[in-house]
Amino acid sequence: MTYPDMQSKSAQLYERAKQVLPWGSTRQAAFFKPYPIYAAFGNGSRVTDVDGVERIDYVCNYSALMHGHCHPKIVEALRKQAGELLSIALPTEAEVRLAEMVCERMPGIERIRFCNSGTEGVMFTIKAARAYTNRPMIAKVEGAYHGSDDTASISTYPMPDSWGDPDAPDSVPPAGTTQHCAEDVTVIPMNDAEAARRIISEHRDQLAAVLVDPMVKNLGYEQATPEFIGAIREETAKHGILLIFDEVYSFRLGYNGAQGVLGVNPDLTAMGKIIGGGLPVGAVGGSAAIMDELFDQRNKPRLEHSGTFNANPMTMAAGAAAMELLTRDEFDRVAALGDRARSGLADAIKASGAKATVRGTTSVIALFHTSADQEMHTYRDIMTVLAQDPAMMERSYRFFVHMLNNGVLMTPYGFMLLSTAMNESDIDVMLEAAHSGLRALKESAAA
Ligand SMILES: Cc1ncc(COP(=O)(O)O)c(C=O)c1O
């Protein structure tokens, strides 16, 4: 079956779904035109849709499925847990086990508390920083996505008519967030160490924390440079401001997360995705000093943090099983598959002569349909390239559809993620599809 096919079960399901779900599904990231593909089941690296079409899943639920679909060890842990407790208003040993594993790996996490999404994890790190420092403001990077919390979503997708000076960007609230909220946020350009120092120093008495994602997906997996992080760490420490790492995504970078790679300990860390083993999860972690002061119930608690499903035993069991499977060797193996994929894609771009460039590291890949000599390191760089070449998104979409029709599910915007369920032949299937897809793009550009 070739996508799109208006007779397909997915197309029919979409018509039905639109009667009750705006756009036919709850998840914005799951939608593409003319209709989204509805999933039926997954197994290892593969996912099968309701029409029975199997594809290699290079989305991995936007990083959460580090072990692909239905890993037998995770399913076994869930089966056992489902027979014992689904949810409960008491702590469980599974919660203690997962907490021990995360604390053992993440240098900046000595204590952790769980919640149910990365959005919540980020939100609680922000609240924790405000409560700990008694200050209102947060600094964040322009164009960095941190989930849907009001504060964290400021200036995630600002437009040129309101984004202000490139060296001192304006705080732009998205629809549904108030200007009042934006006033408590100051915005830093990605990887501009000098601007970071200046902006932090200007707001030093008001800033509770600087929130940084060490690897920003929206910016083509742009990694924070050691100079940028070093400047922020130094400035925050000087002024009693906390440094928050959002490792919801960047935990993928290695056994000890991005903080292990960078050799920098944040004061607080937001976690999510992988640590839930495929089930909903989030967490706020940090140093014992900060976390105990804020959350120790024997003290007068300074920060309210409750939730009916926080640390629910199903997520904790799946998360613990997933973390056990995620050894240093597995990180290395997946990173080697990533190298094979990135160098194969670079070869395919060269062989086809298509206008495209490949980026990423370890288990993440971004394929942008623009030439390699374009500056694409900040949000404004990307917006400038898009303004100069509006057909870029169209090329990206056509490539995505070609991949769908050749056994590969990736994101419409060119992102691919790897899982431990993949092997070299999964990479080679993707590369073969990419070769023909890039050739087709080049041919249609020449026509
Ligand atoms: C860096 C980052 N932070 C936070 C979030 C929000 O996590 P969730 O979707 O679990 O709310 C995401 C989600 O993609 C993310 O990539």
Side-chain angles (χ1 to χ4, degrees):
M1 177 173 292
T2 305
Y3 181 89
D5 178 342
M6 295 331 250
Q7 302 310 312
S8 65
K9 283 192 183 155
S10 274
Q12 287 164 17
L13 207 43
Y14 178 56
E15 288 308 312
R16 184 176 137 204
K18 277 192 297 185
Q19 307 306 312
V20 282
L21 296 157
W23 265 20
S25 93
T26 298
R27 284 187 71 186
Q28 194 166 310
F31 182 81
F32 39 86
K33 282 182 187 165
Y35 60 85
I37 286 173
Y38 289 78
F41 55 88
N43 182 16
S45 63
R46 315 267 160 151
V47 63
T48 301
D49 69 19
V50 288
D51 289 290
V53 180
E54 186 187 88
R55 299 180 178 87
I56 304 172
D57 185 355
Y58 274 93
V59 182
C60 299
N61 197 11
Y62 283 89
S63 182
L65 296 175
M66 189 66 194
H67 302 296
H69 294 276
C70 300
H71 190 290
K73 288 256 166 64
I74 298 178
V75 173
E76 185 189 310
L78 280 169
R79 280 222 175 87
K80 181 170 177 298
Q81 188 60 57
E84 294 170 354
L85 279 174
L86 293 178
S87 67
I88 173 88
L90 290 171
T92 62
E93 190 180 347
E95 174 184 354
V96 181
R97 262 184 37 235
L98 182 56
E100 285 167 349
M101 282 191 244
V102 180
C103 290
E104 184 263 321
R105 287 172 186 229
M106 301 299 275
I109 303 186
E110 293 173 304
R111 303 278 192 274
I112 189 165
R113 287 175 71 95
F114 294 103
C115 47
N116 291 291
S117 68
T119 290
E120 276 182 83
V122 170
M123 179 181 80
F124 282 115
T125 57
I126 291 172
K127 285 186 177 219
R130 285 179 171 145
Y132 189 76
T133 60
N134 254 317
R135 297 174 184 171
M137 284 186 81
I138 301 294
K140 67 151 295 199
V141 169
E142 187 168 49
Y145 176 73
H146 295 283
S148 315
D149 169 63
D150 269 1
T151 305
S153 59
I154 298 294
S155 288
T156 304
Y157 305 109
M159 286 293 141
D161 58 355
S162 57
W163 67 21
D165 187 336
D167 299 325
D170 284 349
S171 305
V172 184
T177 302
T178 61
Q179 191 58 46
H180 182 71
C181 177
E183 281 160 21
D184 278 338
V185 178
T186 184
V187 181
I188 299 175
M190 180 72 179
N191 277 338
D192 187 337
E194 202 189 309
R197 279 189 196 278
R198 176 177 37 78
I199 291 167
I200 294 169
S201 172
E202 269 166 20
H203 299 281
R204 61 186 173 277
D205 298 330
Q206 294 294 302
L207 271 176
V210 179
L211 168 67
V212 188
D213 180 349
M215 179 183 70
V216 183
K217 186 201 103 204
N218 286 9
L219 307 183
Y221 295 120
E222 185 75 10
Q223 290 183 66
T225 60
E227 295 71 35
F228 184 60
I229 293 292
I232 294 176
R233 180 66 288 185
E234 221 178 275
E235 258 347 90
T236 49
K238 205 184 331 174
H239 302 301
I241 301 162
L242 302 188
L243 172 59
I244 302 173
F245 273 9
D246 175 351
E247 293 241 26
V248 170
Y249 214 107
S250 64
F251 173 55
R252 258 188 182 260
L253 281 179
Y255 186 86
N256 305 112
Q259 47 200 262
V261 175
L262 283 161
V264 170
N265 281 12
D267 302 297
L268 291 166
T269 303
M271 302 288 291
K273 298 202 191 253
I274 290 175
I275 64 162
L279 266 64
V281 77
V284 44
S287 68
I290 297 175
M291 296 290 286
D292 285 346
E293 179 171 338
L294 288 174
F295 293 111
D296 190 330
Q297 305 283 317
R298 291 166 303 183
N299 300 334
K300 215 161 133 208
R302 292 175 60 191
L303 183 61
E304 179 60 29
H305 172 229
S306 51
T308 306
F309 296 105
N310 286 357
N312 74 80
M314 295 296 281
T315 294
M316 298 296 105
M323 294 291 272
E324 253 162 39
L325 291 165
L326 197 51
T327 59
R328 288 180 194 277
D329 286 350
E330 282 298 80
F331 271 109
D332 292 346
R333 190 176 67 78
V334 180
L337 290 177
D339 289 339
R340 183 186 184 94
R342 280 181 297 275
S343 74
L345 285 167
D347 290 346
I349 292 167
K350 206 164 161 201
S352 66
K355 199 174 170 188
T357 179
V358 62
R359 303 172 55 169
T361 179
T362 61
S363 60
V364 298
I365 299 165
L367 186 82
F368 283 158
H369 291 271
T370 185
S371 46
D373 51 13
Q374 290 278 9
E375 276 284 305
M376 292 263 274
H377 300 295
T378 67
Y379 177 74
R380 295 192 191 201
D381 290 345
I382 293 175
M383 293 294 277
T384 305
V385 171
L386 278 171
Q388 287 164 354
D389 182 7
M392 177 181 155
M393 294 322 285
E394 171 62 21
R395 293 196 295 279
S396 188
Y397 174 77
R398 278 174 33 220
F399 181 75
F400 158 75
V401 171
H402 176 92
M403 298 300 271
L404 274 184
N405 286 327
N406 286 272
V408 174
L409 177 69
M410 58 184 289
T411 84
Y413 304 111
F415 298 107
M416 290 187 233
L417 292 112
L418 275 57
S419 72
T420 64
M422 290 180 181
N423 56 30
E424 293 187 349
S425 83
D426 291 316
I427 304 297
D428 295 342
V429 169
M430 181 276 286
L431 289 176
E432 206 181 311
H435 266 278
S436 53
L438 289 164
R439 259 199 321 270
L441 282 180
K442 176 68 185 174
E443 280 158 18
S444 70

